[in-house]
Amino acid sequence: MRSLILRLIALGMLLLLVAACEAEATPVAAVVPDTPTAAFSTATAAPPLHYAVAANANGFIPTDERITIAEAALIDQLGDDATSEIVQATYDVVTAYGLYEDWQVSPISQRITVIMNPALPPLDENAITEAIRTASDVPAIIESLAIPGAVPIMENAADTTIRAALANAGYPDGIVLSGIYENLPGAELWLGQLQANNIEIQATAAPHAEVIQAIVNGDVHIALIALTSDEQRAELEAAVGVGNIIPLYEVGISYAAAPGIDVTFTASGWPIPSRSTPTEPVPTATAPD
């Protein structure tokens, strides 16, 4: 029995001695991988584009379209010759009514058109609608506007028999019609021609969409509008009939753009500039070592 106890004591001492001789574990440092980082960009914001509108287009760009252009460029109204080299060197885009040498032509031109509503008397009388046609002296309007490349569509000149025709139709004191019109080159001249022939149009200026709506709804006797597509004309023909749509003249829009400028167009043909987008490498992340 004593021998067994001595053996157990010896075994315990041996185990303690072995444990004391074992090497202490060394802590392993945690490895934290590098976080990929995007390459640092030194690019600076591009300067704003500068956009000039010629004097002959002053006030004729619709408000909503002018806002769209203003979102793309700073707009100045020119008082000088838009075709001068100084002007074109100063601006990224210069635009004007008309056709000019070495300028680009907008794909959208404006056909200044009279729309008559035969559902409202006295425009249901042929004598009255013919008097309006005859009073519209298109060559005089074209001459006064002096827009290069403006094209007359209806070429009748002044007629001195209109007042007599109105009197013979039962309107010796002339007629008064309700109207609506877009603010267009020549609009005031046309209204003045009718007034001079005893045809008074009590008209208000309105945006394009409102003019269309007034015609389609039959709210007015007569309207003056710029048509820019066959779809627009078809809509109005359905409302008033083909014979009550009278195209007067057509005016184009041109522009000069600096190199590196791309252009799209508003609904009525005015250029909207943007910088050409160069092809650049896509920034890549920095890989860890």
Side-chain angles (χ1 to χ4, degrees):
M1 182 67 177
R2 183 178 178 183
S3 175
L4 178 59
I5 292 173
L6 291 174
R7 288 179 182 178
L8 291 174
I9 292 172
L11 180 59
M13 293 177 66
L14 179 61
L15 291 173
L16 289 173
L17 180 62
V18 171
C21 293
E22 286 183 354
E24 186 176 343
T26 303
V28 178
V31 178
V32 180
D34 292 337
T35 302
T37 55
F40 179 73
S41 174
T42 59
T44 57
L49 297 177
H50 292 270
Y51 188 104
V53 179
N56 71 0
N58 184 16
F60 295 131
I61 299 178
T63 300
D64 59 335
E65 296 185 7
R66 192 177 181 94
I67 290 172
T68 298
I69 296 169
E71 291 173 350
L74 301 176
I75 303 176
D76 286 338
Q77 191 67 54
L78 295 178
D80 299 326
D81 180 12
T83 62
S84 74
E85 292 183 2
I86 294 177
V87 168
Q88 294 185 52
T90 302
Y91 293 94
D92 297 292
V93 173
V94 182
T95 190
Y97 272 121
L99 306 179
Y100 302 90
E101 186 176 358
D102 297 328
W103 283 34
Q104 302 295 313
V105 178
S106 170
I108 303 170
S109 60
Q110 299 179 3
R111 285 197 162 201
I112 314 304
T113 303
V114 175
I115 312 293
M116 296 184 292
N117 178 10
L120 294 180
L123 295 188
D124 55 346
E125 301 177 37
N126 288 336
I128 303 304
T129 57
E130 186 58 31
I132 292 172
R133 291 174 185 271
T134 307
S136 302
D137 187 354
V138 175
I141 295 175
I142 295 292
E143 182 179 0
S144 179
L145 291 177
I147 293 176
V151 178
I153 300 173
M154 189 177 72
E155 299 195 29
N156 59 292
D159 190 323
T160 59
T161 65
I162 298 171
R163 287 173 177 266
L166 290 174
N168 291 336
Y171 302 94
D173 298 324
I175 58 174
V176 178
L177 305 175
S178 61
I180 191 170
Y181 66 98
E182 280 190 82
N183 190 20
L184 299 166
E188 296 293 341
L189 294 172
W190 175 74
L191 290 170
Q193 289 177 348
L194 298 188
Q195 180 74 43
N197 284 283
N198 245 10
I199 303 171
E200 180 183 351
I201 309 295
Q202 295 180 342
T204 56
H208 180 86
E210 292 184 19
V211 176
I212 291 280
Q213 197 61 49
I215 298 167
V216 171
N217 291 345
D219 296 334
V220 294
H221 285 96
I222 196 166
L224 188 72
I225 192 171
L227 297 183
T228 57
S229 70
D230 292 338
E231 291 76 16
Q232 287 179 351
R233 181 179 178 114
E235 180 183 9
L236 296 176
E237 286 178 352
V240 301
V242 176
N244 293 297
I245 297 177
I246 311 170
L248 299 181
Y249 51 95
E250 184 170 7
V251 289
I253 296 171
S254 296
Y255 65 96
I261 301 299
D262 290 335
V263 170
T264 56
F265 299 92
T266 67
S268 60
W270 298 102
I272 306 170
S274 63
R275 295 189 188 279
S276 300
T277 304
T279 302
E280 297 180 351
V282 178
T284 57
T286 303
D289 294 335

